[in-house]
C-alpha cells in the first residue's frame, strides 16, 4: 500500500511553487476552463494572495511528488474558502481529495473558523459528490469573480 503524505506548502521552494502552478493549470485545462484573472492572481502570487492574509496551502504527496493540492483562503468573516483543490489524474480514486479536505477542516477548526466555503462548477460531478458527502450544503447564487462558478457551498464548523 502506497502512503500519501499531506503537508503544508513551502513557497520558498521553487519545486513547491512550480508544482502548485502545474497542478492548478492542469485541472483548469482538463476541465475545459480558461485561466481567469482571479486564477492568475492566486497562481502568480500565492504568498500574497493566500498565505500573507492568513491562509494555508496543502499538498498531498506520494514518494515526495506532489499529486494534489488545496488552499484555504481567509475570509472577512473569519471563515475560510476552500480553493484550488485538485488531484492529478493518475492519483484519483484513492480518497486523496477527502484527505485534503480533512486537513483543511482541521486547520480551520484549529483557527476557530465558523465555516468553510467554496465555489465550484456544476460540471464537476465527482467534486460535488465529495463536497456533499463531506457535509457541505448548497447556498443561493452570489457574486463571484469566476465565470465557471455556478455552485456555492458551505460547511458550518461552530
Amino acid at each position: 500500500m502506497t502512503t500519501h503524505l499531506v503537508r503544508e506548502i513551502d513557497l520558498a521552494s521553487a519545486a513547491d511553487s512550480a508544482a502548485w502552478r502545474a497542478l492548478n493549470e492542469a485541472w483548469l485545462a482538463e476541465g475545459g476552463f480558461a485561466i481567469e484573472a482571479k486564477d492568475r492572481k492566486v497562481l502568480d502570487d500565492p504568498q500574497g494572495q493566500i498565505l500573507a492574509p492568513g491562509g494555508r496551502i496543502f499538498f498531498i504527496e506520494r514518494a515526495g511528488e506532489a499529486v494534489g493540492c488545496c488552499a484555504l483562503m481567509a475570509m472577512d468573516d473569519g471563515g475560510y474558502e476552500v480553493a484550488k483543490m485538485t488531484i492529478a489524474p493518475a492519483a484519483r480514486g484513492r480518497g486523496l481529495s477527502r484527505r485534503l479536505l480533512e486537513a483543511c477542516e482541521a486547520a480551520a477548526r484549529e483557527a476557530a473558523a465558523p465555516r468553510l466555503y467554496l465555489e465550484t462548477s456544476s460540471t464537476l460531478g465527482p467534486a460535488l459528490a465529495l463536497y456533499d458527502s463531506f457535509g457541505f450544503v448548497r447556498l443561493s447564487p452570489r457574486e463571484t469573480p469566476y465565470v465557471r462558478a455556478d455552485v456555492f457551498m458551505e460547511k458550518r464548523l461552530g
Side-chain angles (χ1 to χ4, degrees):
M1 181 171 163
T2 305
T3 301
H4 291 85
L5 169 73
V6 176
R7 73 168 174 89
E8 285 199 60
I9 190 173
D10 175 6
L11 288 175
S13 159
D16 277 4
S17 293
W20 164 251
R21 177 180 299 279
L23 284 163
N24 277 287
E25 288 178 349
W27 83 259
L28 289 165
E30 178 189 352
F33 302 121
I35 296 177
E36 300 181 46
K38 175 76 176 189
D39 295 314
R40 186 57 53 212
K41 260 178 101 170
V42 172
L43 295 179
D44 287 350
D45 185 18
Q47 177 65 42
Q49 297 296 311
I50 299 171
L51 300 179
R56 297 168 82 169
I57 300 173
F58 298 96
F59 272 170
I60 192 154
E61 296 180 327
R62 179 176 165 235
E65 177 188 351
V67 295
C69 61
C70 187
L72 275 181
M73 298 178 71
M75 298 174 66
D76 291 341
D77 69 356
Y80 287 96
E81 180 178 356
V82 176
K84 306 295 184 232
M85 186 166 75
T86 186
I87 302 294
R92 291 182 186 152
R94 297 180 173 99
L96 302 182
S97 292
R98 182 168 293 279
R99 296 247 333 260
L100 283 171
L101 275 178
E102 288 167 351
C104 288
E105 183 174 334
R109 285 186 184 280
E110 179 181 293
R115 70 183 181 131
L116 292 174
Y117 169 83
L118 63 86
E119 299 179 1
T120 190
S121 171
S122 58
T123 65
L124 300 174
L128 290 170
L130 171 67
Y131 302 139
D132 287 336
S133 74
F134 204 76
F136 280 84
V137 296
R138 312 268 169 132
L139 302 171
S140 60
R142 53 208 57 220
E143 291 287 320
T144 178
Y146 296 109
V147 171
R148 67 182 171 267
D150 61 356
V151 177
F152 308 88
M153 304 177 85
E154 76 174 2
K155 180 175 182 176
R156 288 274 166 197
L157 302 177

